[in-house]
Amino acid sequence: MPVVIAHVSDIHIDAGPRAAERTRRVFDHLDALPADLDLVVLTGDIADHGLDSEYETVRQATATRHPLLVCPGNHDDREAFRRALLGVPASTGPINQVHRTDRFVVALCDSSIPKQDDGFLADETLAWLAAELDATPDGVPVLIGFHHPPVELHTPFVDKIRQFGEERLAEAVAGRQNVVALLAGHAHTAAATHFAGLPLLVAPGVVSTIPLPWEGERALHLDHQPSLAFHVIDDRHRITTHFRSIV
Ligand SMILES: [Fe+2]
Ligand SMILES: [Fe+2]
């Protein structure tokens, strides 16, 4: 049986009903699937202003029968994220989390920088990632996720606030045979590229879609349907990604 992981991003929950409704539509779709998913990954920009009250809404909008792993983005606040979403004591250090099974591992790294829009993996985060990779047996596939893509995606607004210091990430994955792909959000467009010899798969934004330079428009698309990615890892550790819009 292949591993099937749903990848959702950039839900940007605020005080209004729109983002919460769009997010709930995505999670209702996942909850209505006939079989259990191996994991749902949510790659940041969870609460639009990083407020405790927004995280309360997030808990309802993302409630699901599937296992769920969430990392922060530039709109999130680490203290409120820990306190109001994860239900653990508030602190300001990076929020790095792993989902570990005997079939696969997903490591979500905190690429946010408090009070900034661009991204960076702190030394502490890279050390955590190295330890998680060291702890993973050969033959168990690993996905590494974070909010900020470490490369330009030809999305001028987002490229300026991407993950910088990306050579450190490249070093962290060099020679790690069981890492099969990198996952990101932040760009508000479904995209696939590569980084450090690995697929880099970017989930679409649930709340909005960024216009591309050749589309000749400037405003964010608010009328596109919310969408997500499904990542499938087969027995040979080959990853296939399907992007799916929710009608
Ligand atoms: Fe976002
Ligand atoms: Fe973002």
Side-chain angles (χ1 to χ4, degrees):
M1 281 287 285
V3 173
V4 180
I5 295 171
H7 180 188
V8 181
S9 201
D10 293 84
I11 60 175
H12 287 263
I13 300 280
D14 57 13
R18 182 178 174 279
E21 274 169 16
R22 290 171 71 89
T23 302
R24 196 58 249 169
R25 274 162 68 191
V26 170
F27 279 85
D28 282 348
H29 179 79
L30 298 179
D31 276 357
L33 296 174
D36 289 343
L37 293 164
D38 289 292
L39 184 66
V40 180
V41 168
L42 189 43
T43 49
D45 282 357
I46 308 305
D48 201 35
H49 309 93
L51 301 175
D52 285 55
S53 55
E54 293 173 338
Y55 289 112
E56 294 297 333
T57 308
V58 168
R59 288 167 81 125
Q60 297 158 19
T62 63
T64 175
R65 75 174 207 262
H66 308 292
L68 175 66
L69 193 66
V70 189
C71 72
N74 51 302
H75 281 254
D76 290 293
D77 177 89
R78 288 174 177 171
E79 288 185 83
F81 191 106
R82 282 196 167 94
R83 182 172 52 230
L85 185 63
L86 300 182
V88 300
S91 63
T92 57
I95 299 172
N96 301 311
Q97 301 184 93
V98 68
H99 182 88
R100 186 173 285 286
T101 76
D102 53 7
R103 297 171 62 222
F104 71 98
V105 171
V106 174
L108 287 191
C109 302
D110 186 345
S111 64
S112 71
I113 308 169
K115 311 286 184 216
Q116 285 184 219
D117 284 329
D118 56 333
F120 187 79
L121 298 177
D123 289 345
E124 173 184 339
T125 296
L126 289 172
W128 170 85
L129 178 61
E132 293 298 337
L133 294 173
D134 288 344
T136 303
D138 289 345
V140 175
V142 180
L143 296 178
I144 300 171
F146 29 71
H147 181 64
H148 298 78
V151 292
E152 295 182 353
L153 298 172
H154 307 281
T155 51
F157 176 74
V158 176
D159 292 347
K160 281 183 277 192
I161 52 169
R162 66 175 174 87
Q163 181 188 143
F164 293 97
E166 68 274 16
E167 64 287 348
R168 298 157 63 258
L169 172 62
E171 219 170 279
V173 298
R176 299 285 192 172
Q177 297 297 332
N178 44 1
V179 178
V180 296
L182 307 172
L183 311 180
H186 189 49
H188 291 231
T189 185
T193 180
H194 55 90
F195 175 79
L198 294 166
L200 170 62
L201 305 163
V202 181
V206 167
V207 76
S208 62
T209 301
I210 203 167
L212 300 169
W214 51 93
E215 291 183 307
E217 295 170 45
R218 296 186 64 116
L220 277 175
H221 299 295
L222 298 176
D223 53 343
H224 290 196
Q225 290 159 343
S227 48
L228 75 153
F230 287 112
H231 304 299
V232 186
I233 305 172
D234 68 17
D235 294 345
R236 295 181 168 193
H237 299 184
R238 192 169 63 85
I239 188 163
T240 303
T241 297
H242 298 268
F243 294 104
R244 181 63 85 233
S245 292
I246 310 302
V247 178

